[in-house]
């Protein structure tokens, strides 16, 4: 039965794409969104069935792809990620019709969004390398088209699209190589066949395959130094697309690393996992630092995605290290932490991107320094944004905190059993994660405080109105899930445990126990997020009561804020995003390398009197500047040199042919 | 582990702890001010002055700055809620507090962080330059203090194989040699620096400054008045008492109640008060002889604390 639903899901996705392309303008988006959501519901039905029964669902057809046929096999790990992707996509589908007034309503866009969603689901359901790669490429192309939707209006969009196209295809090439390499050596292209031969593959092949997979999937997950496309493409894409990319697509990078590293190759030497941890630590720190310095709201969120994927990779790597050292239970615990981090990230980040889409639609900007004062003008969107942002900052009683707690517990207990090498790796990881946590708080206090609170900083923010209900509900749905999972993580943890047990070889399926409380079984560690929530709510109620009811006092008065006795407070006197982050920028000057420029112009009569001072400061991406720009320059240089070879003369081309022929003959002889 | 069936007992213990911290916090603040005044050759306000201030503030009118929204009002409420929540469940008077089996050190850190974040958001919500300034500085310091704090927590947790706070205190009682172990001492040193930073004491922040430009914490709460300011004052002083209480119970746990019952609870309260008073006097004395550090020298101090904590982790791992 489930197999049929799986086929139905793909069919619904195709129908949504067709409807988006063919339906008349006035119902186009609504029909496409409804059919896409239906496909996602079908996906969730299958995923829940797989997670409940513990048996994978498989479908094969020989007709769809020539030569090899297409095979779908949905395992437990895939099922977890399918559910996450589908939930995010459903929220986006609820949001989309409202957003259509602001973009993403063209025939092409309505056709491509369902393709993008369905291809992401198929990537997770693929049962062999060919299906996987075809779906992967479809996903890459459809997301590229969606990034470029607004290219007529903005110059930056085109450049972002170029970066994304190059990075995603370099990554795809790397993945193709990795998959071809393992399937050629294993003598079969289905994942099951590769898995059964994994032990017999030569060590060198395994290592090369893993490095290629890390590069390819790492670039999709936005891992430093392959993250450069992310802070360009995520901001330039329309917000529902950003939400899909950041909430669902980057997860596929993590899935890919798990697929190749654990499921296909069955784990490997400890340096694999040490490399994964190292990548994770660098990404987490760099992402958090850049996020705290960013002043473009979507850029901030994009860097925070890099940061969160870094945390996931740390958990994945530590899980591998521990499982490698025959501590399967702890390895499974770290894997549960990794999966919970993925689930959490999808929920809060998609919600944030959708909220920013609402803000952008209402104010026309996403620059923090041109927003402000939205808490009164857009109360629902603000509340949703605040909840999701506090969840990213890992504050209780929201879901981000539970994930972070599990990660710290697995690191703590991992430290206890580990040897010297693992001990050092884990200690450094803990230190980096702790700093990351602090920086994330700065980034999101800034995002809320400067972007939503205070006085409006521009006419656009001044005139903002709350967005249509559909947009509020789409974003709010995900924020509500953040709260639910923050209070009752045990609703999903048992499923994550089972998925983790299929990834970590020999892992036990129950590493956590409890209903209201979350208890590490066999270890000493309990968390009771529900009690924290209840306690906080209770005390807050008592505090409000004490404040308001105990004594009768004059009514609340509104007064001007304190500005050293000045009468007039203007919006320009508020702290801006740049000034808020300035102390931190100064502390991490060496890493961020902010670009500061002060221009003082004097009055004509005397240079002792200043006419105006212009101050400009921007924080670019250091990795891009140091690693990518020189590489691009080098490619350009070689390109212009190579042009000298081609002058259009047929004689010369014939000469080239002759020389090439001679060289081939010499080599063969 | 089954939940303790003794709900009434748990409520009693939590109530006693909240009462002790809630009243003791402002008194501790008064005591520290008194100590400073005496050492500086002044008479100073009486020890119970903060409590009198709170009573006075509660009777006053509430004033909201022009663009303050619900987040501005939520700041003090969330701050006091987090302080009370931790006060109720942390091992202060007894090693078996209410919900003690789920009182995790990491959890406590993040619950307290929730209060700080809301205070910073409330400050930014006022739309005034000082609100932004205080919030920016406070969150920066918080971000730099957090690594030191979490790594110190890790160093505490390694020998005990858990980050459960009551279990850590019990571990100190049953194996006193743990307390004197080098890893623990290094972590404690880091924890002390973090406590000073988090509670806005010298050399990080001057709690008695009256100049807006040098304020950190005071700039953040500049717009709160009347009962809101009272809640902030109580919440902040409770937080100081809490952090000091945890500090002393982790370093000298003796006197804390290990059994249930009124008598041992009273003994625990007296022991806690004595230890916290000593710690408070020590900090106040230290403050008399210290100047405030420049804001941009603070990272060095906090990085120092971080290194101490990391050394603590390494030592704990080696000594294992």
């Amino acid at each position: 039965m489930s197999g049929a639903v799986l086929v139905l899901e793909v069919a619904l996705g195709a129908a949504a794409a067709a409807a988006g392309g063919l339906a008349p303008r006035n119902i186009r988006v609504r029909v496409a969104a409804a059919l896409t959501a239906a496909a996602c519901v079908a996906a969730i039905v299958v995923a829940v069935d797989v997670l409940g029964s513990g048996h994978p669902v498989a479908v094969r057809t020989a007709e769809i792809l020539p030569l090899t046929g297409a095979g779908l096999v949905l395992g437990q790990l895939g099922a977890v990620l399918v559910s996450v992707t589908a939930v995010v996509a459903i929220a986006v589908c609820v949001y989309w019709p409202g957003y259509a007034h602001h973009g993403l309503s063209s025939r092409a866009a309505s056709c491509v969004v369902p393709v993008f969603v369905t291809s992401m689901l198929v990537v997770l359901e693929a049962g062999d390398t060919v299906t996987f790669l075809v779906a992967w490429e479809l996903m890459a192309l459809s997301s590229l088209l969606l990034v470029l939707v607004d290219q007529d209006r903005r110059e930056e969009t085109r450049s972002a699209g170029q970066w994304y196209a190059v990075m995603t295809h370099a990554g795809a090439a790397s993945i193709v190589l990795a998959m071809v390499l393992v399937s050629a050596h294993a003598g079969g292209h289905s994942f099951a066949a590769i898995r059964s031969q994994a032990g017999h593959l030569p060590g060198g092949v395994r290592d090369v395959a893993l490095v290629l997979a890390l590069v390819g999937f790492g670039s999709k997950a936005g891992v430093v130094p392959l993250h450069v496309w992310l802070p360009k493409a995520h901001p330039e894409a329309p917000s529902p697309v950003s939400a899909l990319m950041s909430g669902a697509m980057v997860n596929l990078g993590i899935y890919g690393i798990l697929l190749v590293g654990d499921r296909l190759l069955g784990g490997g030497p400890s340096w694999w996992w040490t490399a994964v941890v190292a990548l994770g630590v660098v990404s987490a720190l760099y992402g958090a630092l850049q996020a705290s310095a960013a002043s473009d709201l979507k850029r901030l969120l994009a860097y925070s995605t890099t940061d969160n994927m870094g945390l996931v990779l740390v958990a994945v790597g530590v899980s591998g290290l521990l499982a490698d050292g025959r501590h399967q239970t702890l390895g499974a615990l770290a894997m549960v932490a990794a999966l919970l981090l993925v689930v959490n990230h999808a929920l809060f980040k998609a919600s944030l991107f959708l909220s920013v889409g609402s803000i952008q639609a209402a104010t026309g900007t996403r620059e923090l320094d041109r927003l402000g004062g939205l808490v009164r003008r857009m109360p629902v969107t603000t509340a949703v944004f605040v909840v999701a942002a506090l969840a990213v900052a890992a504050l209780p009683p929201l879901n981000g905190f539970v994930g972070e707690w599990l990660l710290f517990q697995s690191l703590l207990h991992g430290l206890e059993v580990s040897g010297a090498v693992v001990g050092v790796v884990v200690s450094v990881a803990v230190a980096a994660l702790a700093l990351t946590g602090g920086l994330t708080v700065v980034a999101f206090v800034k995002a809320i405080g400067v972007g939503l609170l205070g006085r409006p900083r521009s006419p656009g923010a001044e005139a903002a109105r709350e967005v249509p209900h559909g947009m509020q509900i789409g974003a709010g749905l995900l924020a509500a899930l953040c709260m639910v999972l923050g209070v009752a993580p045990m609703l999903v943890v048992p499923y994550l445990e089972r998925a983790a047990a299929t990834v970590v070889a020999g892992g036990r399926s129950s590493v956590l126990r409890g209903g209201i409380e979350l208890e590490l079984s066999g270890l000493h560690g309990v968390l009771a997020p529900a009690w924290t929530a209840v306690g906080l709510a209770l005390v807050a109620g008592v505090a409000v009561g004490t404040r308001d009811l105990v004594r009768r006092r004059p009514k609340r008065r509104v007064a001007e804020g304190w500005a050293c006795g000045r009468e007039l407070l203007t919006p320009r006197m508020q702290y801006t995003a740049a000034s808020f982050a300035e102390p931190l920028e100064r502390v991490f000057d060496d890493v961020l390398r902010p670009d500061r420029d002060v221009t003082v112009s004097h009055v004509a009569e005397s240079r002792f009197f200043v006419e105006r001072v212009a101050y400009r400061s921007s924080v670019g991406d250091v990795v891009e500047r140091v690693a990518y720009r020189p590489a691009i320059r080098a490619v350009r240089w070689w390109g212009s040199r190579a042009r000298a070879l081609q002058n259009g003369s047929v004689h010369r081309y014939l000469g080239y042919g002759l020389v090439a022929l001679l060289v081939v003959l010499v080599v063969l002889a | 582990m089954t939940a303790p069936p003794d709900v009434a007992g748990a409520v009693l213990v939590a109530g006693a702890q909240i009462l002790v911290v809630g009243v003791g916090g402002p008194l501790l603040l008064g005591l520290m001010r008194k100590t400073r005044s005496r050492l500086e050759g002044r008479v100073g306000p009486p020890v119970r002055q903060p409590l009198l201030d709170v009573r006075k503030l509660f009777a006053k009118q509430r004033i909201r700055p022009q663009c303050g929204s619900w987040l501005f009002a939520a700041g003090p409420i969330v701050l006091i809620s987090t302080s009370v929540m931790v006060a109720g469940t942390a091992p202060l008077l007894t090693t078996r507090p209410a919900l003690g089996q789920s009182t995790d050190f990491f959890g406590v850190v993040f619950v307290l962080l929730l209060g700080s974040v809301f205070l910073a958001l409330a400050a930014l919500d006022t739309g005034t330059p000082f609100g932004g300034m205080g919030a920016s500085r406070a969150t920066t310091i918080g971000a730099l203090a957090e690594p030191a704090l979490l790594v110190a927590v890790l160093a505490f947790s390694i020998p005990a194989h858990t980050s459960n706070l009551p279990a850590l205190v019990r571990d100190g009682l049953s194996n006193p040699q743990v307390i004197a172990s080098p890893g623990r001492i290094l972590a404690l040193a880091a924890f002390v620096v973090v406590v000073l930073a988090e509670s806005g004491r010298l050399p990080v922040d001057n709690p008695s400054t009256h100049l807006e430009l040098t304020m950190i914490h005071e700039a953040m709460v500049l717009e709160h008045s009347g009962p809101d300011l009272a809640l902030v004052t109580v919440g902040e002083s409770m937080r100081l008492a809490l952090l000091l209480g945890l500090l002393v119970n982790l370093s000298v746990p003796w006197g804390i109640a290990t059994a249930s019952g009124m008598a041992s609870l009273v003994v625990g309260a007296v022991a806690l008060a004595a230890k916290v008073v000593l710690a408070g006097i020590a900090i106040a004395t230290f403050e008399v002889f210290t100047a405030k550090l420049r804001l941009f020298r603070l990272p060095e101090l906090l990085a120092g604390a971080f290194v101490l904590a990391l050394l603590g982790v390494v030592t704990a791992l080696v000594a294992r």
Side-chain angles (χ1 to χ4, degrees), chain A residues 100-113:
Chain A
H101 302 289
H102 306 279
L104 207 62
S105 60
S106 66
R107 197 174 287 282
S110 323
C111 172
V112 176
V113 170

Side-chain angles (χ1 to χ4, degrees), chain B residues 160-179:
Chain B
H161 304 289
T162 177
S163 57
N164 181 281
L165 207 36
L168 286 178
V169 175
R170 283 199 296 273
D171 189 46
L173 275 177
S174 52
N175 314 316
Q177 74 274 15
V178 170
I179 294 172

Side-chain angles (χ1 to χ4, degrees), chain B residues 87-106:
Chain B
T89 54
L92 295 169
L93 305 187
T94 162
T95 55
R96 304 202 179 278
L99 299 175
Q101 60 162 325
S102 62
T103 306
D104 194 87
F105 210 157
F106 287 118

Side-chain angles (χ1 to χ4, degrees), chain B residues 251-276:
Chain B
S251 49
V252 269
W254 296 283
I256 191 168
T258 48
S260 53
M262 259 336 242
S264 58
L265 218 55
V266 171
V267 173
V270 172
L272 179 77
K275 287 182 283 187
V276 170

Side-chain angles (χ1 to χ4, degrees), chain A residues 134-206:
Chain A
V134 169
W136 186 271
E137 188 57 26
L138 202 57
M139 173 187 84
L141 285 178
S142 53
S143 56
L144 175 60
L145 287 177
L146 291 173
V147 168
L148 287 170
V149 160
D150 285 334
Q151 62 155 331
D152 302 337
R153 272 183 276 169
R154 289 171 59 90
E155 184 60 36
E156 296 93 324
T157 307
R158 226 167 299 157
S159 145
Q162 270 176 358
W163 276 91
Y164 179 48
V166 171
M167 291 305 289
T168 197
H169 279 94
S174 180
I175 294 167
V176 170
L177 280 178
M179 294 258 174
V180 167
L181 196 63
V182 284
S183 41
H185 278 87
H189 71 271
S190 81
F191 289 158
I194 296 173
R195 181 73 189 89
S196 64
Q197 293 296 315
H200 309 301
L201 293 180
V205 170
R206 292 161 55 90

Side-chain angles (χ1 to χ4, degrees), chain A residues 562-578:
Chain A
W562 174 245
C564 287
R566 264 184 69 110
E567 286 285 303
L568 271 175
L569 266 176
T570 68
R572 287 199 58 197
M573 289 167 75
Q574 296 177 98
Y575 252 44
T576 61

Side-chain angles (χ1 to χ4, degrees), chain B:
Chain B
M1 263 183 251
T2 52
D6 185 13
V7 178
V11 170
L12 177 77
V13 170
Q17 293 208 129
I18 293 168
L19 193 72
V20 167
V21 177
V23 177
L27 285 179
L28 174 69
L29 212 59
L31 178 77
M32 288 172 77
R33 285 186 193 154
K34 188 80 178 171
T35 312
R36 267 189 86 169
S37 311
R38 294 313 289 261
L39 285 174
E40 288 167 352
R42 295 182 280 123
V43 177
V47 172
R48 66 197 165 91
Q49 187 63 44
L51 280 177
L52 299 178
D53 287 346
V54 166
R55 199 183 66 180
K56 183 183 72 185
L57 285 170
F58 255 112
K60 289 200 164 194
Q61 185 181 24
R62 291 182 70 201
I63 302 175
R64 171 174 80 73
Q66 216 159 36
C67 69
S69 65
W70 59 270
L71 265 164
F72 176 75
I77 298 288
V78 175
L79 176 76
I80 189 105
S81 306
T82 54
S83 294
V84 169
M85 183 70 204
V86 175
T89 54
L92 295 169
L93 305 187
T94 162
T95 55
R96 304 202 179 278
L99 299 175
Q101 60 162 325
S102 62
T103 306
D104 194 87
F105 210 157
F106 287 118
V108 165
V109 168
F110 279 97
V111 169
L112 290 179
L113 184 65
L114 177 71
S116 321
V117 164
F118 263 85
L119 212 54
L121 289 180
L124 282 163
D125 197 23
T126 61
T128 60
F130 295 120
M133 189 190 311
S136 162
R137 291 175 180 175
T139 45
T140 305
I141 293 172
L144 296 175
E146 191 163 310
L149 181 56
L150 288 185
V151 176
V153 169
L154 190 73
F156 280 123
S157 311
I158 289 171
H161 304 289
T162 177
S163 57
N164 181 281
L165 207 36
L168 286 178
V169 175
R170 283 199 296 273
D171 189 46
L173 275 177
S174 52
N175 314 316
Q177 74 274 15
V178 170
I179 294 172
S181 68
R184 192 67 174 265
I185 292 171
L186 287 166
L188 264 181
F191 194 57
V192 170
V193 176
V194 172
V195 169
L196 291 182
E198 292 276 324
S199 52
R201 311 298 305 186
L202 283 172
V204 176
D205 186 11
N206 185 356
S208 53
T209 182
H210 291 284
L211 179 63
E212 291 100 331
L213 289 173
T214 61
M215 289 174 172
I216 299 176
H217 177 260
E218 294 299 318
M220 264 205 302
V221 301
L222 209 54
E223 294 298 327
H224 290 294
S225 57
D228 291 308
L229 184 59
L231 287 179
V232 171
T233 312
V234 175
E236 284 293 330
S237 63
M238 282 179 78
R239 167 183 291 223
L240 174 65
L242 273 174
L243 289 171
L244 285 185
L246 287 180
L247 181 71
V248 294
N249 275 351
L250 285 169
S251 49
V252 269
W254 296 283
I256 191 168
T258 48
S260 53
M262 259 336 242
S264 58
L265 218 55
V266 171
V267 173
V270 172
L272 179 77
K275 287 182 283 187
V276 170
V277 161
L278 283 179
I281 290 178
I283 290 179
T285 314
F286 167 74
E287 284 189 324
V288 173
F289 298 101
T290 323
K292 184 167 173 284
L293 270 180
R294 259 192 84 202
L295 185 63
F296 295 107
R297 296 290 302 277
L298 282 180
E300 294 164 22
L301 177 74
L302 294 168
F306 173 69
V307 171
L308 284 180
L310 199 59
L311 280 177
V313 169
V314 173
T315 324
L317 277 179
V318 171
R320 174 180 47 145

